[in-house]
Amino acid sequence: QSALTQPASVSGSPGQSITISCTGTSSDIADSKYVSWYQEHPGEAPKLIIYDVSNRPSGISYRFSGSKSGNTASLTISGLQAEDEATYYCSSHTVTRPYVFGSGTEVTVL
Amino acid sequence: QVQLVQSGAEVKRPGASVKVSCKASGFTFSNYYIHWVRRAPGQGLEWVGQSNPSGGGTHYAQSLQGRVTVTRDTSTTTVYMELSSLRSEDTAVYYCAKEGASGAKNFDFWGPGTLVIVSS
């Protein structure tokens, strides 16, 4: 199964907003209410930052927000900070395509 | 607090098998799905399979069907992932991850990962 498509890298200056896209198909993103986003710092385990398309777990900054339109989900990071520099993965779950991940996007804070 | 403690790194020959453990604590083990996810060098995350709560059912990634087995020991709150007929492409960090609330379909806590290297 092919991964969901994410840009390899996105960069922004401190304080700016950036958006990471996650493109799938009618069999995954478009058909799923279970779209999640994970943040991974080097040497650390991934961390859940968005679930069910747009919900934030307890303790996750309001600067992270998620949305979905058709085949594409998006993660927006507002007020970019140095600590946001990490790799971000999207994930989608449906019965026919369980737990498909994106290819990962490396975020650089300039 | 939730803890997932994984076994140490492994180096295996092609064709061999590897068994990685994940000991859980800090939550009611019998109520939660535990998943395995891997990340090969330079690659993205890939779901490997899951252990269902009470009842011991499992579900595996289609690409690994027939080679992967996930088991759960409720007496020690440990989940195991065994991968057989290892190939170089199986070289990866293997994470165990706890699913969120029942039916959540996300992974709200991850173990630190276990590096498995397959090399002749």
Side-chain angles (χ1 to χ4, degrees):
Chain A
Q1 293 180 336
S2 56
L4 306 174
T5 301
Q6 298 181 233
S9 62
V10 172
S11 61
S13 300
Q16 283 188 330
S17 291
I18 61 169
T19 296
I20 301 169
S21 61
C22 171
T23 302
T25 69
S26 57
S27 298
D28 39 60
I29 296 282
D31 194 35
S32 177
K33 59 181 179 179
Y34 301 117
V35 176
S36 307
W37 289 88
Y38 300 87
Q39 176 192 61
E40 185 180 37
H41 286 109
E44 297 182 10
K47 179 181 180 181
L48 178 67
I49 58 172
I50 293 289
Y51 68 95
D52 294 353
V53 178
S54 60
N55 293 305
R56 281 189 310 276
S58 174
I60 298 301
S61 173
Y62 68 93
R63 298 185 300 101
F64 293 94
S65 61
S67 63
K68 187 185 86 164
S69 177
N71 293 352
T72 300
S74 299
L75 172 72
T76 297
I77 309 174
S78 57
L80 198 62
Q81 299 180 0
E83 67 207 49
D84 300 332
E85 199 161 275
T87 300
Y88 294 82
Y89 293 94
C90 59
S91 176
S92 160
H93 174 82
T94 62
V95 171
T96 54
R97 293 205 76 196
Y99 304 110
V100 180
F101 284 94
S103 42
T105 297
E106 192 172 326
V107 168
T108 301
V109 181
L110 302 171
Chain B
Q1 71 281 21
V2 173
Q3 280 198 309
L4 297 173
V5 178
Q6 297 187 223
S7 49
E10 303 262 13
V11 179
K12 296 291 182 180
R13 301 290 192 197
S17 297
V18 67
K19 192 170 186 177
V20 181
S21 67
C22 171
K23 178 164 176 61
S25 61
F27 61 97
T28 305
F29 181 73
S30 59
N31 288 353
Y32 290 90
Y33 291 78
I34 300 294
H35 297 257
W36 289 91
V37 177
R38 70 180 183 179
R39 180 166 46 73
Q43 305 294 313
L45 299 170
E46 178 186 16
W47 179 70
V48 171
Q50 70 184 52
S51 165
N52 300 354
S54 60
T58 55
H59 187 199
Y60 303 125
Q62 195 170 9
S63 61
L64 295 172
Q65 199 87 28
R67 292 203 298 132
V68 65
T69 304
V70 176
T71 54
R72 172 186 288 240
D73 184 340
T74 54
S75 67
T76 61
T77 65
T78 300
V79 180
Y80 300 90
M81 187 281 303
E82 184 169 19
L83 188 60
S84 62
S85 302
L86 287 168
R87 311 159 183 167
S88 58
E89 312 89 89
D90 295 319
T91 294
V93 176
Y94 288 76
Y95 297 98
C96 61
K98 170 186 164 291
E99 187 169 325
S102 179
K105 311 305 182 191
N106 59 62
F107 312 123
D108 66 351
F109 194 85
W110 298 60
T114 296
L115 175 61
V116 174
I117 296 173
V118 183
S119 175
S120 55

